[in-house]
Amino acid sequence: MPYRNYNTWMGDPTRTLQARQIIRTIQDHDLVQKTDEVGNYIYEKLTDMIENGAGRGKVEKLRGENAGTFLAFDGKTPEVRDKLIMEMRKLGVHMGGCGDKAVRLRPMLVFEQKHADLFLEKLDKALAQL
């Protein structure tokens, strides 16, 4: 019988239509390519910030090169990571930790370079406060 095996995990026809439209939107706006470009931009800027800027000695182990905007880095210690998260929240950026001392970035597909610039500006300020 129809819908007998319904579940909340995209199993009904409406969710199939929604998924199809999401895929069309991703393709029509070339969001995967844009995400790759923005991710590479952020990675380059974070590398410089960690090696030469406000993150030097506070942030380490940047990960996610060529992985779009799926990036991560570690605070030098769990305490540094936690202080960084709190400083970012004070600056209006919601971010959280992962594991003992990591921060993961997982922005939406519509995250553009202008958003990355805002994030990086606030991250630089937050790191300077540590």
Side-chain angles (χ1 to χ4, degrees), residues 21-114:
Q21 186 57 48
I22 290 168
I23 291 168
R24 279 190 193 133
T25 300
I26 290 169
Q27 292 171 338
D28 290 349
H29 296 277
D30 203 18
L31 294 179
V32 174
Q33 177 63 31
K34 289 179 181 176
T35 299
D36 183 53
E37 293 168 5
V38 172
N40 290 337
Y41 175 79
I42 296 171
Y43 189 90
E44 178 185 323
K45 298 293 185 180
L46 284 174
T47 298
D48 186 51
M49 192 179 296
I50 291 168
E51 292 176 359
N52 306 310
R56 187 178 183 132
K58 301 170 189 173
V59 176
E60 60 189 13
K61 298 181 184 173
L62 177 61
R63 306 178 286 289
E65 186 173 20
N66 298 315
T69 54
F70 278 30
L71 302 169
F73 54 84
D74 292 347
K76 191 77 170 173
T77 65
E79 294 77 23
V80 168
R81 189 274 313 264
D82 293 345
K83 287 178 185 176
L84 175 60
I85 289 170
M86 294 311 298
E87 289 300 320
M88 289 295 281
R89 288 181 181 171
K90 288 177 189 175
L91 293 170
V93 178
H94 176 73
M95 56 189 269
C98 179
D100 292 333
K101 58 183 182 173
V103 172
R104 293 188 307 175
L105 306 180
R106 301 292 188 266
M108 296 182 290
L109 288 174
V110 294
F111 191 80
E112 298 177 358
Q113 185 172 330
K114 64 183 177 183

